[in-house]
Amino acid sequence: MILLTGASGFLGKKIVESFSQNKIKVTTVGRKNENDICCDLSKESPLLGNSKYNTVIHAAGKAHSIPKNKEEKKQFFDINVTGTQNLLNSLQNSCLPKNFVFISSVAVYGLVYGDKIIETEQLKAEDPYGTSKICAEKIILDWCRKNYVCCTILRLPLLVSENPPSNLGAMLRAIRKGYYFNIGGGTAKKSMVLVSDVVRFIPLISTTGGIFNLTDGVHPSFNELSMALSPRKKIFNLPLNFALILGLIGDFFGDKSVLNTKKVKKITTSLTFDDSKAREFGWDSQPVLEFIKNKYE
């Protein structure tokens, strides 16, 4: 039996769908009534009873976003940290699982640029999302160590699937509406990974344990992505020097600006992560560009 949190999320839905197709029994925990156990982890511990779960997959969490106020900053810790502790408290008071899988993020590294970053890189995140994920990782590692539970942490970059949310979804919408543009040729590379590959890897790695980056192994550039998403549309390119000038003007308006110095640097510098450790344990991934081309040709 598997206990899954975050079943209503982008990744969680795919986990439920895949496991159900493979006749794997999944008990879901979440705030919506559609879950088997209805519970707001940020406020309470779920009632697990005496059920024995072989594996717990903790995918619940507040997604990466820029908080607008103190309350939104606090939500990251309420959901990602307090929610994790409440889940562990319930497991402690019921039956301990053999395996615990935590869905984390490459945001824990706190880096804006870098090439093939490995799992032993220092965790430098200072933003609410990244620091809350670091705290959750530490809590889980300590709890699993004390209770002899096999612990697996998957640090994921941008997730890709049909109708993707977040930055890739915004990029697709902008292309369709005709106002997307690359900067400096769009040569910056970013790590991404297919949701379906992550879901397939979880059962394989859950009994092994460890901390793993997962990527598609290709790390497409913005130009490659835009061409794959819009094979019949010409993508406008903004010269880097001009973008830098616009960024300086945008600095007066802060993070609300469409373009500022910080955003220009993020868009024009590569940030990739090394997944060779996972590949030693059977990680195999489909290139994101191949998936996108098949979907949007």
Side-chain angles (χ1 to χ4, degrees):
M1 280 245 295
I2 290 175
L3 183 70
L4 170 68
T5 70
S8 300
F10 183 50
L11 176 61
K13 287 179 180 178
K14 298 295 184 182
I15 293 175
V16 172
E17 180 183 311
S18 175
F19 283 23
S20 297
Q21 290 174 353
N22 290 288
K23 311 296 183 187
I24 301 174
K25 172 64 177 174
V26 179
T27 299
T28 61
V29 178
R31 291 177 291 181
K32 297 182 179 180
N33 291 326
E34 64 192 36
N35 290 282
D36 299 308
I37 301 173
C38 188
C39 169
D40 184 345
L41 287 173
S42 68
K43 298 177 181 178
E44 58 186 332
S45 296
L47 299 175
L48 302 180
N50 295 318
S51 298
K52 176 64 176 178
Y53 299 103
N54 189 57
T55 300
V56 174
I57 304 172
H58 185 29
K62 181 172 173 59
H64 198 181
S65 61
I66 299 174
K68 299 176 183 177
N69 49 52
K70 289 183 179 180
E71 179 57 33
E72 290 190 2
K73 287 182 180 180
K74 183 175 179 294
Q75 285 177 7
F76 281 107
F77 292 90
D78 289 343
I79 297 172
N80 295 343
V81 181
T82 303
T84 295
Q85 189 63 67
N86 284 339
L87 173 63
L88 296 178
N89 289 342
S90 288
L91 292 170
Q92 188 77 49
N93 294 326
S94 56
C95 294
L96 294 174
K98 290 182 180 179
N99 313 301
F100 193 103
V101 179
F102 178 51
I103 305 301
S104 189
S105 167
V106 293
V108 296
Y109 299 112
L111 298 173
V112 177
Y113 61 90
D115 182 47
K116 298 293 183 68
I117 296 154
I118 62 176
E119 291 84 352
T120 54
E121 178 76 25
Q122 186 178 351
L123 307 186
K124 301 176 181 177
E126 296 180 352
D127 63 293
Y129 175 70
T131 52
S132 68
K133 282 292 189 180
I134 291 174
C135 289
E137 282 193 12
K138 289 180 178 178
I139 291 170
I140 291 166
L141 284 168
D142 184 57
W143 184 86
C144 287
R145 192 178 300 112
K146 288 180 179 178
N147 291 285
Y148 302 98
V149 174
C150 179
C151 179
T152 302
I153 294 176
L154 302 180
R155 291 176 179 162
L156 308 182
L158 183 68
L159 287 170
V160 179
S161 185
E162 293 183 49
N163 302 314
S166 65
N167 291 337
L168 188 61
M171 182 178 180
L172 178 58
R173 290 190 296 273
I175 287 173
R176 286 174 173 171
K177 293 179 180 179
Y179 59 80
Y180 175 80
F181 56 88
N182 283 317
I183 296 177
T187 59
K189 292 178 173 289
K190 302 291 181 180
S191 288
M192 301 181 184
V193 68
L194 288 175
V195 169
S196 56
D197 287 339
V198 175
V199 171
R200 186 164 44 85
F201 188 58
I202 289 174
L204 177 64
I205 199 65
S206 62
T207 58
T208 300
I211 300 174
F212 304 94
N213 296 330
L214 299 184
T215 79
D216 77 336
V218 177
H219 321 289
S221 68
F222 281 108
N223 183 53
E224 290 171 326
L225 278 171
S226 59
M227 290 180 65
L229 287 167
S230 59
R232 296 175 183 84
K233 280 190 176 183
K234 185 177 181 180
I235 301 298
F236 177 69
N237 178 66
L238 189 67
L240 179 57
N241 288 337
F242 186 48
L244 290 171
I245 293 171
L246 292 177
L248 289 171
I249 296 171
D251 287 344
F252 288 102
F253 302 95
D255 289 330
K256 293 182 180 180
S257 174
V258 175
L259 209 61
N260 55 37
T261 302
K262 183 178 178 181
K263 290 180 181 179
V264 171
K265 184 175 182 179
K266 186 174 182 179
I267 293 171
T268 57
T269 54
S270 294
L271 179 60
T272 63
F273 300 87
D274 189 291
D275 64 1
S276 56
K277 179 181 175 183
R279 293 186 185 278
E280 294 176 5
F281 293 90
W283 168 246
D284 185 26
S285 57
Q286 177 187 354
V288 165
L289 287 175
E290 181 181 306
F291 172 83
I292 291 175
K293 287 176 182 177
N294 290 335
K295 292 295 178 184
Y296 297 100
E297 277 184 340

